[in-house]
Structure formats: C-alpha cells, structure tokens
Amino acid sequence: MAQAMRPNTAGGLFATDGKSHPLQDALLAATLVLGITSFITAMFHHLHLLSSWTGLVGILTGAYGQWISVTTRERFGLVLGLGAAAVGFFLGMAHGGLFGGLLD
C-alpha cells in the first residue's frame, strides 16, 4: 500500500506520463477553441463563413494533434474538439459554405 501514499508528481494536467508536451497541449487548446467557435457560430445562418472556416482549420489541427498525441488525456480533448469542429464545419457548409455569397 506504499503506492497509495505517494504524491501525484505527474507534471501538467494533460501529461500523464510525467513529461511536458507543449506542442500537443497547444494543438489541443487550438482545436478546442476552434471547435467551440465553429459549433456556436454554426447556429446562425449568416455566420456560415466563420463556422465553416474555423471548423475546417479545427479539423486539420485536431487531426495533426491526434497524429502526434502522446497521452490519453490529450486524445480525449482532441476528440471533443474535433467533433465540435466537424459539426460546425458541416452546418456551415450547409448554410452557405466556405465562399458562399462572396463569389456572386
């Protein structure tokens, strides 16, 4: 039972292996911000440019983050951000797309 008495010295919130992962944490934060922005702005038809572009960039950053992620906590947050970005992207595409109204 000695292991139950050890303090948690894992480092950061997303580093369960005890090491620092600044690039992965930055990609996680960017994916979450882009995904939330895309998801929220997709609820408004006139913001389809913002929702579709932030969704597309969020999908790309999330995919790269998944590719280089190290810990399960990073992957969990990336999946949440990717899902929100994908929903926002698809709704933005349905409301007018990436260039809708600009090329008339």
Side-chain angles (χ1 to χ4, degrees):
M1 275 310 256
Q3 66 271 18
M5 299 302 289
R6 291 184 191 156
N8 184 8
T9 59
L13 177 63
F14 300 111
T16 55
D17 60 351
K19 299 176 184 172
S20 176
H21 304 117
L23 177 61
Q24 289 85 350
D25 291 343
L27 286 171
L28 170 61
T31 303
L32 285 173
V33 168
L34 289 167
I36 291 169
T37 302
S38 177
F39 184 79
I40 291 172
T41 57
M43 304 305 162
F44 304 99
H45 291 274
H46 62 282
L47 294 177
H48 62 86
L49 289 173
L50 180 62
S51 64
S52 58
W53 279 106
T54 55
L56 180 62
V57 174
I59 290 170
L60 294 175
T61 59
Y64 182 67
Q66 282 283 14
W67 186 44
I68 66 169
S69 67
V70 178
T71 63
T72 304
R73 290 184 183 182
E74 292 167 355
R75 293 182 190 114
F76 179 77
L78 284 167
V79 166
L80 291 177
L82 270 167
V87 169
F89 173 71
F90 291 134
L91 287 174
M93 292 300 288
H95 292 161
L98 296 169
F99 300 106
L102 294 179
L103 301 176
D104 291 338

